[in-house]
Amino acid sequence: MVEELAVIPHFGDENAEKVHRSIALAAPGLPVVGLPSAPRSSADPDGGWRQAGQGDAQVFVSGKPAGIDALPH
């Protein structure tokens, strides 16, 4: 469990309008990460994040694309 983070599982497999609405309605500054079915994102012991597997997680903050570094440490 990670505090201060919203997750959209199976990102890319669902209704685009619902995803857009979820990202747009998230609290300002709250990272929203869309996780496709194949990739894995995990927290390192030092608090950083890494991705493995096929596909990439998509991170959004305040409705705009952001990098994985925007996730909480």
Side-chain angles (χ1 to χ4, degrees), residues 5-15 18-19 22-23 32-39 56-58:
L5 176 71
V7 176
I8 302 172
H10 307 289
F11 188 72
D13 296 341
E14 65 289 302
N15 182 304
K18 289 181 183 179
V19 170
S22 295
I23 293 167
V32 177
V33 61
L35 294 175
S37 300
D56 289 327
Q58 300 293 313

Side-chain angles (χ1 to χ4, degrees), residues 23-54:
I23 293 167
L25 293 176
L30 177 72
V32 177
V33 61
L35 294 175
S37 300
R40 296 178 311 276
S41 295
S42 59
D44 289 326
D46 67 358
W49 288 84
R50 63 186 152 110
Q51 297 186 63
Q54 296 179 329

Side-chain angles (χ1 to χ4, degrees), residues 23 59-66:
I23 293 167
V59 181
F60 302 88
V61 177
S62 299
K64 297 183 177 149

